[in-house]
């Protein structure tokens, strides 16, 4: 645990915490515009979280400690995961932090507890949500892992920090095959954040709900934490995409100007991807649950292809 | 002391006659005549023993002949005849697996097979093996196999016993042809008698009757019962 | 000289059986008589240096070598425990009216004679004498099977005696062949083992091989080897359990003893391989047929009987290999099988007494076995484990090492045998699990508990203890004796 | 040092022996007998574990002769690094299980039978220990069989209940199948090496050695429950008492793994193909195991299938080790092998933990059906917590030990992808994606296991009246739960201490980070958010009250996955409609049913069983003849013999 790393930790986590709700709102805005609506303001998510934090928390009488613990776990896992993806400054990796698989599994813990809390209240909605969420997560998992494997093969490292250090300063992706990986990563992003065509974050219709059904029983500060955790997760996934496709702007040497520049640059890059997500969502209809595996297969196919191309090229 | 060719002819005649009696056992339906056939077969064996005893001057063979006559020609047939009387079965009409005609064909094939097989076995040591041993082995083993044919192709228990006895005659014939084997054969005959008695009692009275009747019959023969008053 | 003690004991015992009025003393006498046999054998071991051909006036007719004495001890133990067991068992038979009390004396006399003939058979130096004694064992054991006078018993005894004697007649032809073979080489025919073994290598091989084949037919029938085994399941399962134990534990050894002796002759000729082939085929068939038959078995004693066939098959495979190590383990297997199988039959007998089905031909209905007969149930379970070759019982080792030897002949034979043994285990497990877990129906009254007399219980428990100890401990002396046996048979040193 | 280790080993084995013999000799029905015996179990296991530790860390070899059986064949203890790991597994799980059993064995069953349970448990542990310590084939097989027998009796403990007999028979046959393969394998090996000692087979590539290896592999696979030889596992594990299920799954399967690893490392020099075979068997088991586990509603059945999955993962690790060493990548080979071994250790810990806690639940509710549980988190809070720890560990979430094992495997696969050989690459990608699927399904599966069993309203009266397990039944699993966390967090340090420098994240740091973050989050939320809370009924769309019948069921939970993988499950959907009118316009009623075809049972096990039974019935006919028939057989045989002898002489 050396000095630069502690600075990195504080900087990265602070920046992620700060900026995450912004992208959430941005996507909503883009979608609203695409539908011809005005849409909420860019700071709406901040307001919502603040509002929820002030509200009283309602627990089901059937629920147990699982319900009470889950929000904390979700948020802290998201925060810890934020250490794994550099947004601004890349230090030397320490103690294996930045490991891609560990990152994936940290997000997994959050999902695990969330699914449990969905079952905890004894509501049928929660059950349906947990069941679907876990099933979808299971089906997408091979894709995610193979994408990461492709990434690791291309970048010759298993650590986001190392990958970032290698590519930092480059204008374009390290290799053209990164674009293929980007496509797969984008699909994973859509799935992991529960967006159309996989899930619709705006609906509360029991036939289509996945994620929302699972957190239906959450309220007040707990809901706030879960929402916040969701926003952080989304930002982190966007950051990975940025890392792969647009690596320029990351600094490897610590300087105030460099970091400020990187911040501004990341906001821009993140916004670009958020806009793409918003437009993508607007142009799609939600798919049937059981036709989703086909979508995942596409991503899987891309990643496998990447590995082969990279090796034989 | 007698003409060699005459003895040789006599021996051959006996062998053939023995085989004919065996074939008879395979096909005859009437029980009394089966019994008589067996008597005849045993008598032929006794004759064979006598012939050999004269040729070789061996007294033991003579003893065997006497023992054979006493046991196989007189005692056993008498005993079986008695049982036949009691269970009043006169005929054995059914056949298992083989009809009489085909069983005779089978036995001819058997004799040829055994002949070839033993010929093959003994050919390497042929110079040292006496021809009489070879013929004795062929006829003896064929007779045993024909006895087995009788056992499994005839249904009545008495006939089976006769088949077994005929097999026994096969061994005896084989034994007689090996001239130096007397002591064992004597004892063997004694054992066979014991087996036979046991066999026939169990067989003839046991198999076709109920247990009560069986016990009754056993008591009648007073074979196993020691003291009647012990019964509860 | 000492051998004459055996017939003397038997004569004295039979006089006692006929004269003594008290049944209690009768039972005791039977046990004492069989114990006396063991004592005599013990004295023989201590006083006569083995191998001994000059046993007094019995020279050339009787002899004592390690193998014979060893098997005499084994069968003596089996007979002793069976006699100990027979007291309680026959009482129960008479109680239920299955055994006519008049025949008790006949039963014990038959038993004594059977023991005499079995024991003497192992001491016979003369092949013909051995044949006769073997025939006599058939007669008396058939008598003991038929003594219950039930229809099935008569049927079983009939099959037994017919099949065994028919096959034994062929053995006699084999004896004649041996005689002729000896006559050709030595100028004078002889049937004395000791002489035969010495000169077997110079006998005409084809004649000796033919002799082996014929001898094998009869002894195979005596030891219940496929395809001459068909009498065995019936006879062993229908006989009174004390007799079943003897049939399986002592009598099968007579046949195997004959086969080993015959094989040790042909082993010295170039035809050893062909003889082995015959042994392999019939041994493998025995294992296979028995195992497959066990799979469907619904009758405990029949199941155990089939297991004997399986074990005989295994022994034949071992003999067929013909190496000293294989023979070494064959001998131990004979010992282990005898004791285990006796224990198994004796404990199964208790269950049979408890649950005997009174409908002819029906199998016993075993219910609540751990409530009613826990000791016997555990006896059967442990016995089964021992017989299928689970450690720490000796058959595990014999099985393993025999199979190790079989593998030197053909790995496929090894694999096939093992699969068949597995089927046998499955059959036994299937039977035990199904029958022993049965509970009596709630509205049906539980059968009365049959109080097992101490002698009966003691006999199978002690046998199991002996078997277990054997599995855990192979004394140096035992190993030396068995190595000596193998050497004396002419197979070379282990 | 070596002397101390030996003394500990002897003391441990002797204690277990004592624990076996004591309840058999003292025929008393009261509790002290069992208590003494279980203390012996606990002490014995602890001694063994303590003896194993120094050997594991110092990599020495300790050996001694116990019992001189036959000339040239001794019973020995040979404790080297590999066996010490498995001895450690045995010791740790045995200790925890013994403590658990103090409470558990007093549930149900006749006192004498409980004595037997305790005794056989000791024997089971003893024989497993001796297998691991075996220095030659004979000893290995002896104790292997004793292990099989004692476990068979333990499976049959509750033999009067329905289905137990079937389970026992299944187990008996399969365990014999395993022994058959081992017998063939070892005997062939003996033919190759000419000694019963476990020494390298030479020449290495001979067909005999290959056959020996294949047989040994199959034997260990059957015992480990690798698909398609797995079918006994979901029968035997639920049937046996839970403390025994824990041992069977936690230790016995590992003994099979030990055998395989020993064969792979010390005896055979394997090539790529063998490695690929092991890997393929492993992957198949892993994925199919978890897919089958997913649909189970029997809680112990679910755990049993999950064991198949984990064994699959372990086998894959071994297979990868062989592949990498053949490809000349010793570091990756070590990494994969360590992954397999570490996962063996981990699986022993958490699967025993799960079986024990599941056993507490079953003992409290008297049912194994998860659909009749629910709400137990309120009634059995500690048990729930322990089960949850186990679930997190087995679902491989950091920083618990399950994660580290899987991470190592993933890493070796990731790095392995650098190889150029296309076939290898395809294999590795295939393995990688299936592992990912397996891991994620495992997580989903244990959400179901924990959620349906412990959370929400009770689903039946049985669950309503459940009570918390007694103290010993909590302490036992708690030890394991603690170890799951400790070995997970300390994994990096443990491997360093063992002398391996692996590219692993330092879980201690990660764990600390998690704790710190959690603390910070709690503090911040406490400081900023409203603390008002209200407890009220679950919102049910306006229903007046909600009960257990309205909850999401376990079957419902697994439905999406069952549908997605319907081709693997071989589900059959059947819809029957009846109509009121002849024109079929008004539906009177509909019945819909989904049935799962038990694929392996239907297409593999039953045909074999039927075939054998058919042959058996043929043989039966052979024996159902009369005297005539029998004499005919003999006649034919004799004729064949007599003529054959003449012909072939």
């Amino acid at each position: 645990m050396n000095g630069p790393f502690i600075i990195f930790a504080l900087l990265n986590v602070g920046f992620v915490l700060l900026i995450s709700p912004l992208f959430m709102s941005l996507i909503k805005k883009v979608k609203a515009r695409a539908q011809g609506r005005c849409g909420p303001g860019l700071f709406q998510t901040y307001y919502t979280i603040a509002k929820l934090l002030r509200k009283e928390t309602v627990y089901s009488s059937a629920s147990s400690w699982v319900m009470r613990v889950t929000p904390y776990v979700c948020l802290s896992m998201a925060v810890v995961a934020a250490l794994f993806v550099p947004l601004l400054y890349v230090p030397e990796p320490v103690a294996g932090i930045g490991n891609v698989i560990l990152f994936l599994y940290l997000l997994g813990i959050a999902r695990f507890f969330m699914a449990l809390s969905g079952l905890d209240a004894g509501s049928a909605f929660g059950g349906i949500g947990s069941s679907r969420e876990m099933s979808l997560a299971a089906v997408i998992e091979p894709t995610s892992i193979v994408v990461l494997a492709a990434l690791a093969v291309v970048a010759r490292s298993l650590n986001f920090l190392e990958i970032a250090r290698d590519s930092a300063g480059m204008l374009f992706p390290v290799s053209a095959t990164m674009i293929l990986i980007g496509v797969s990563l984008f699909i994973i992003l859509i799935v992991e954040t529960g967006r159309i065509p996989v899930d619709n974050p705006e609906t509360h219709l029991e036939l289509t709900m996945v994620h929302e059904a699972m957190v239906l029983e959450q309220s007040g500060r707990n809901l706030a934490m879960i929402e916040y955790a969701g926003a952080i997760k989304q930002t982190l996934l966007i950051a990975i995409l940025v890392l792969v496709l647009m690596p320029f702007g990351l600094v490897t040497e610590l300087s105030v100007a460099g970091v400020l520049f990187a911040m501004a640059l990341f906001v821009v890059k993140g916004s670009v991807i958020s806009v793409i997500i918003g437009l993508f969502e607007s142009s799609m209809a939600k798919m049937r649950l059981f036709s989703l595996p086909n979508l995942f297969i596409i991503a899987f196919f891309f990643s496998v292809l990447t590995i082969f191309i990279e090796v034989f090229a | 002391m007698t003409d060699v060719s005459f003895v040789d002819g006599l021996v051959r005649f006996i062998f053939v006659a023995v085989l004919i009696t065996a074939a008879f056992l395979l096909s005859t339906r009437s029980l009394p005549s089966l019994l008589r056939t067996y008597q005849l077969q045993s008598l032929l064996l006794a004759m064979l023993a006598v012939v050999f005893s004269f040729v070789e001057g061996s007294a033991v063979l003579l003893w065997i002949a006497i023992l054979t006559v006493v046991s196989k020609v007189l005692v056993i047939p008498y005993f079986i005849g008695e049982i036949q009387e009691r269970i009043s079965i006169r005929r054995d009409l059914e056949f298992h697996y083989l009809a009489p005609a085909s069983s005779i064909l089978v036995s001819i094939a058997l004799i040829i097979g055994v002949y070839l097989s033993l010929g093959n076995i003994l050919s390497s040591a042929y110079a040292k093996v006496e021809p009489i041993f070879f013929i004795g082995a062929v006829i003896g083993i064929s007779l045993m196999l024909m006895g087995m044919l009788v056992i499994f192709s005839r249904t009545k228990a008495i006939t089976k016993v006769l088949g077994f006895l005929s097999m026994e005659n096969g061994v005896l014939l084989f034994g007689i042809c090996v001239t130096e084997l007397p002591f064992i054969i004597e004892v063997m005959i004694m054992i066979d008698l014991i087996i036979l008695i046991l066999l026939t009692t169990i067989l003839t009275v046991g198999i076709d009757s109920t247990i009560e009747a069986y016990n009754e019959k056993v008591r009648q023969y007073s074979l196993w019962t020691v003291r009647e008053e012990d019964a509860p | 000289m000492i051998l004459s003690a055996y017939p003397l004991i038997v004569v004295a015992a039979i006089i006692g059986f006929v004269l003594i009025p008290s049944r209690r003393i009768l039972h005791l006498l039977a046990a004492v008589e069989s114990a006396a046999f063991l004592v005599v054998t013990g004295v023989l071991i201590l006083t006569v240096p083995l191998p001994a051909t000059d046993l007094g006036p019995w020279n050339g007719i009787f002899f004592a070598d390690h193998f014979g004495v060893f098997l005499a001890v084994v069968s003596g133990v089996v007979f002793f425990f069976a006699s100990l067991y027979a007291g309680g068992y026959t009482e129960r038979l008479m109680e239920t009216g299955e055994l006519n009390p008049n025949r008790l004396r006949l039963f014990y006399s038959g038993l004594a004679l059977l023991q005499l003939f079995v024991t003497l058979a192992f001491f016979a130096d003369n092949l013909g004498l051995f044949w006769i004694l073997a025939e006599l064992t058939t007669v008396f054991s058939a008598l003991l099977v038929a003594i219950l006078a039930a229809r099935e018993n008569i049927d079983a005894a009939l099959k037994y005696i017919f099949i065994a004697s028919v096959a034994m007649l062929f053995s006699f032809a084999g004896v004649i062949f041996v005689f002729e073979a000896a006559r050709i080489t030595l100028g004078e025919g002889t049937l004395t083992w000791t002489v035969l073994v010495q000169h077997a290598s110079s006998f005409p091989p084809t004649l000796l091989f033919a002799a082996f084949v014929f001898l094998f037919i009869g002894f195979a029938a005596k030891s219940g080897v496929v395809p001459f085994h068909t009498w065995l399941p019936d006879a062993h399962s229908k006989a009174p359990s004390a007799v079943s134990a003897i049939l399986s534990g002592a009598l099968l050894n007579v046949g195997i003893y004959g086969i080993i002796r015959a094989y040790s002759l042909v082993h010295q000729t170039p035809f050893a391989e062909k003889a082995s082939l015959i042994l392999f085929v019939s041994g493998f068939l025995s294992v296979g047929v028995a195992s497959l038959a066990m799979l469907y078995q619904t009758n405990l004693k029949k199941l155990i009987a089939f297991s004997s066939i399986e074990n005989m098959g295994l022994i034949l495979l071992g003999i067929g290999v013909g190496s000293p190590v294989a023979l070494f383990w064959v001998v131990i297997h004979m010992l282990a099988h005898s004791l285990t199988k006796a224990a198994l039959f004796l404990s199964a007998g208790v269950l049979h007494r408890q649950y005997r089905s009174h409908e002819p031909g029906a199998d016993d209905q075993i219910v609540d076995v751990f409530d009613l007969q826990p000791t016997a149930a555990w006896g059967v379970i442990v016995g089964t484990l021992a017989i299928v070759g689970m450690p720490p019982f000796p058959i595990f080792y014999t099985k393993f090492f025999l199979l190790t030897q079989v593998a030197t002949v053909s790995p496929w034979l090894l694999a096939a045998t093992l699969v068949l043994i597995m089927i046998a285990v499955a059959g036994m497990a299937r039977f035990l699990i199904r029958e022993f877990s049965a509970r009596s129906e709630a509205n049906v009254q539980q059968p009365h508990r049959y109080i097992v007399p101490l002698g009966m219980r003691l006999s199978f428990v002690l046998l199991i203890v002996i078997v277990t100890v054997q599995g855990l401990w192979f004394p140096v002396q035992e190993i030396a004796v068995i190595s000596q046996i193998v050497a004396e048979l002419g197979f070379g040193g282990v | 040092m070596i002397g101390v280790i030996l003394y500990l080993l002897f003391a441990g084995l002797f204690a277990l022996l004592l624990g076996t013999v004591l309840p058999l000799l003292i025929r008393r029905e009261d509790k002290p007998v069992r208590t003494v015996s279980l203390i012996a179990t606990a002490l014995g296991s602890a001694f063994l574990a303590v003896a194993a530790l120094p050997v594991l860390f110092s990599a020495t070899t300790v050996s001694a002769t116990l019992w001189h059986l036959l000339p040239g064949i001794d019973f020995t203890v040979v404790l080297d690094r590999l066996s010490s790991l498995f001895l450690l597994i045995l010791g740790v799980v045995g200790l925890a299980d013994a403590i658990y059993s103090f409470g558990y064995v007093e549930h149900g069953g006749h006192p004498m039978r409980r004595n037997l349970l305790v005794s056989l448990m000791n024997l089971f542990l003893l024989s497993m220990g001796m297998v691991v310590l075996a220095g030659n084939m004979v000893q290995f097989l002896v104790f292997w069989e004793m292990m099989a027998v004692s476990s068979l009796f333990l499976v049959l403990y509750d033999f009067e209940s329905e289905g137990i007999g079937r389970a026992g028979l299944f187990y008996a046959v399969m365990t014999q199948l395993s022994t058959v393969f081992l017998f063939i394998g070892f005997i062939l090996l003996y033919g190759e090496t000419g000694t019963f000692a476990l020494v390298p087979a030479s020449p290495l590539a001979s067909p005999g050695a290959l056959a020996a290896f294949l047989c040994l592999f199959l034997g260990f696979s059957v015992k480990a429950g690798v698909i398609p030889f797995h079918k006994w596992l979901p029968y035997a594990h639920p049937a046996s008492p839970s403390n025994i299920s824990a041992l069977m799954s936690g230790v016995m399967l590992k003994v099979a793994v030990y055998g395989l690893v020993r064969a792979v490392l010390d005896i055979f020099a394997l090539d790529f193909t063998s490695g690929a075979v092991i890997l393929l068997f492993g992957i198949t088991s892993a994925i199919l195991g978890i897919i089958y586990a997913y649909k189970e509603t029997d809680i112990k059945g679910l755990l049993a299938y999950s064991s198949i999955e984990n064994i699959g993962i372990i086998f894959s690790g071994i297979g990868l080790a062989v592949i990498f060493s053949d490809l000349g990548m010793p570091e990756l080979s070590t990494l994969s092998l360590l992954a397999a071994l570490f996962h063996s250790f981990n699986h022993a810990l958490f699967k025993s933990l799960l079986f024990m806690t599941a056993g507490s639940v079953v003992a409290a509710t008297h049912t194994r059906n998860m659909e009749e549980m629910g709400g137990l988190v309120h009634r059995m809070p500690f048990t729930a917590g322990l089960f949850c720890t186990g679930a997190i560990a087995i679902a491989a979430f950091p920083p618990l030990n399950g994660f580290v094992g899987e991470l190592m495997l993933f890493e070796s696969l990731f790095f392995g992808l650098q190889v150029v050989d296309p076939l290898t690459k395809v294999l590795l990608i295939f393995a990688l994606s299936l592992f990912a699927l397996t891991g994620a399904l495992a997580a989903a599966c244990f959400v179901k296991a924990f959620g349906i069993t412990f959370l929400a309203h009770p689903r039946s009266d049985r669950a309503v009246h459940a009570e918390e397990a007694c103290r010993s039944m909590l302490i036992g699993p708690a030890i394991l739960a603690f170890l799951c966390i400790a070995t997970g967090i300390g994994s990096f340090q443990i491997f360093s201490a063992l002398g391996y420098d692996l590219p692993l994240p330092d879980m201690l740091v990660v764990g600390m980070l998690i704790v710190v973050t959690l603390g910070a989050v709690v503090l911040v939320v406490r400081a900023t958010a409203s603390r008002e809370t209200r407890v009220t009924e679950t919102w049910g769309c306006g229903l007046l009250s909600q009960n257990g019948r309205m909850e999401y069921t376990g079957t419902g939970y697994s439905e999406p996955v069952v549908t997605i993988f319907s081709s693997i499950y071989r589900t059959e959907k059947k819809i029957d409609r009846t109509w009121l009118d002849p024109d079929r316009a008004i539906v009177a009623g509909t019945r819909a049913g989904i049935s799962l075809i038990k694929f392996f049972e239907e297409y593999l096990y039953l045909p074999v069983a039927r075939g054998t039974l058919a042959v058996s019935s043929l043989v039966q006919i052979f024996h159902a003849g009369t005297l005539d028939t029998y004499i005919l057989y003999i006649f034919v045989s004799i004729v064949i013999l007599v003529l054959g002898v003449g012909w072939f002489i």
Side-chain angles (χ1 to χ4, degrees), chain D residues 100-272:
Chain D
Y100 176 80
S101 303
F102 279 116
Y104 184 81
V105 290
E106 302 304 325
H107 284 274
H110 187 271
M112 292 309 284
R113 212 194 282 181
R114 281 184 236 160
N115 285 359
L116 198 63
L117 171 66
V118 171
S119 160
L120 283 172
M121 185 176 145
N122 274 299
L123 181 66
F124 187 35
L125 277 168
L126 179 68
S127 40
M128 288 192 294
M130 288 299 286
V131 171
V132 171
L133 292 170
N136 60 50
M137 300 172 196
V138 181
Q139 184 188 356
F140 191 98
L141 285 173
V142 165
F143 289 100
W144 181 271
E145 281 288 75
M146 278 174 73
M147 173 179 94
V149 175
S150 49
S151 57
L152 172 63
F153 279 110
L154 290 166
V155 168
L156 286 169
Y157 175 70
D158 195 15
F159 65 91
E160 283 138 338
S161 303
E162 203 190 327
I164 305 287
R166 189 181 153 77
L169 182 61
F170 222 121
Y171 181 57
V173 173
M174 291 307 283
T175 199
Q176 270 305 300
L177 185 66
S178 148
T179 313
V180 164
F181 281 125
L182 288 193
F183 260 64
I184 302 175
F186 276 130
I187 290 176
L188 290 180
L189 186 60
Y190 171 70
E192 288 294 312
T193 62
T195 166
F196 287 113
L198 296 165
V199 295
S202 60
L204 299 166
S206 75
L210 187 66
F213 169 71
L214 276 181
C215 289
L216 288 182
F217 172 66
L218 288 176
F220 292 129
S221 298
V222 174
K223 196 70 184 183
V226 166
I227 286 173
F229 312 112
H230 64 293
K231 203 64 210 184
W232 63 269
L233 230 144
Y235 278 112
H237 284 200
S240 44
S242 294
N243 55 343
I244 301 309
S245 316
L247 282 184
M248 285 176 80
S249 199
V251 188
M252 191 175 76
L253 303 186
K254 303 308 168 321
V255 173
V257 170
Y258 164 76
L260 183 65
V261 175
R262 178 66 78 190
V264 166
L265 286 187
D266 284 0
I267 301 177
F268 301 99
L270 296 176
D271 59 350
F272 181 84

Side-chain angles (χ1 to χ4, degrees), chain C residues 289-311:
Chain C
V289 167
S291 305
L292 287 166
M294 282 158 82
L295 199 57
Y296 244 148
Q297 214 41 257
T298 52
N299 182 312
L300 179 56
K301 285 180 73 178
K302 234 178 182 166
L303 187 76
I304 303 172
F306 271 113
S307 150
S308 299
I309 301 176
E310 184 214 328
N311 279 289

Side-chain angles (χ1 to χ4, degrees), chain C residues 158-159 162-163 166-167 170 206 209-210 213-214 216-217 226-231 233-234 271 274 278 289 292-293 295-297 306 329 370 378 381 385 389-392 396-397 399-401 403-405 407 411 414-415 418-419 422-423 425-426 429-430 433 436-437 439 471-474 479, chain D residues 67-71 73 75 113 116 120 137-138 141-146 148-149 152-153 156 159-160 164-166 168-169 172-173 176-181 183-184 186-188 190 196 609 612-617 619-620 622-623 625-627 630-631 633-634 637-638 641-642 645 648-649:
Chain C
L158 186 70
K159 280 176 186 160
F162 244 112
I163 292 171
V166 160
F170 285 91
T206 50
F209 178 53
V213 171
F214 281 106
F216 174 74
I217 292 169
V226 174
F228 310 105
H229 66 293
T230 36
W231 60 271
D234 279 341
F271 283 97
K274 288 208 167 85
I278 294 176
V289 167
L292 287 166
L295 199 57
Y296 244 148
Q297 214 41 257
F306 271 113
W329 288 107
F370 290 105
W378 279 107
I381 290 172
L385 288 178
M390 291 293 164
F396 174 84
Y397 302 104
K399 192 174 79 174
F400 178 75
F401 289 108
L403 288 170
T404 311
Q405 292 299 312
L414 162 79
L418 268 167
V419 169
M422 183 186 102
I423 292 175
V425 176
R430 180 173 178 265
I433 290 173
F436 281 19
S437 64
R439 305 295 316 218
L472 292 173
W473 181 43
F474 291 88
I479 290 171
Chain D
W67 181 251
H68 187 74
L69 182 76
L70 286 163
I73 292 157
F75 283 175
R113 212 194 282 181
L116 198 63
L120 283 172
M137 300 172 196
V138 181
L141 285 173
V142 165
F143 289 100
W144 181 271
E145 281 288 75
M146 278 174 73
V149 175
L152 172 63
F153 279 110
L156 286 169
F159 65 91
E160 283 138 338
I164 305 287
R166 189 181 153 77
L169 182 61
V173 173
Q176 270 305 300
L177 185 66
S178 148
T179 313
V180 164
F181 281 125
F183 260 64
I184 302 175
F186 276 130
I187 290 176
L188 290 180
Y190 171 70
F196 287 113
T612 320
L613 283 178
V615 178
S616 163
S617 62
V619 171
Q620 212 68 14
F622 185 79
H623 289 107
T626 57
L627 179 61
Y630 294 161
I631 298 275
Y633 299 150
I634 295 179
S637 323
I638 291 176
L641 270 178
V642 170
V645 164
F648 288 108
I649 206 157

Side-chain angles (χ1 to χ4, degrees), chain C residues 115-167:
Chain C
Q115 183 169 16
L116 175 68
F117 295 135
V118 168
T119 312
L120 287 182
F122 293 131
F123 288 110
D125 193 12
N126 186 301
L127 185 54
L129 182 67
F130 175 71
W131 184 89
I132 291 162
L133 289 166
E135 266 294 66
L136 283 174
T137 59
T138 312
V139 174
F140 284 93
S141 52
L143 177 113
L144 292 174
V145 173
I147 204 144
L148 293 185
R151 195 187 173 80
E152 302 123 353
N153 283 68
I154 298 163
D155 197 38
L158 186 70
K159 280 176 186 160
Y160 175 28
I161 205 154
F162 244 112
I163 292 171
S165 344
V166 160

Side-chain angles (χ1 to χ4, degrees), chain C residues 390-444:
Chain C
M390 291 293 164
F393 301 105
I395 291 188
F396 174 84
Y397 302 104
T398 58
K399 192 174 79 174
F400 178 75
F401 289 108
L402 279 180
L403 288 170
T404 311
Q405 292 299 312
V406 168
T408 60
V409 176
S410 153
W412 296 109
L413 184 61
L414 162 79
T417 312
L418 268 167
V419 169
L420 289 171
I421 291 176
M422 183 186 102
I423 292 175
V425 176
M428 288 199 138
R430 180 173 178 265
F431 179 89
L432 287 188
I433 290 173
R434 203 188 44 205
E435 298 289 322
F436 281 19
S437 64
R439 305 295 316 218
S440 56
E441 285 163 40
N443 47 1
V444 180

Side-chain angles (χ1 to χ4, degrees), chain A residues 218-265:
Chain A
Q218 302 284 7
S219 58
R221 59 163 193 265
N222 289 352
L223 188 57
M225 282 186 268
I226 287 173
E227 296 274 313
Y228 204 2
I232 294 173
K233 180 172 157 188
Q234 178 177 304
T235 309
L236 293 176
L237 290 169
I238 289 175
I240 295 175
L241 203 54
V242 166
L243 196 69
V244 169
L245 294 177
M246 306 174 258
F248 52 91
L250 277 175
V251 291
T252 48
E253 296 302 319
L254 210 54
S255 72
V256 177
V259 168
L260 283 178
F261 177 66
M263 276 184 186
L265 213 54

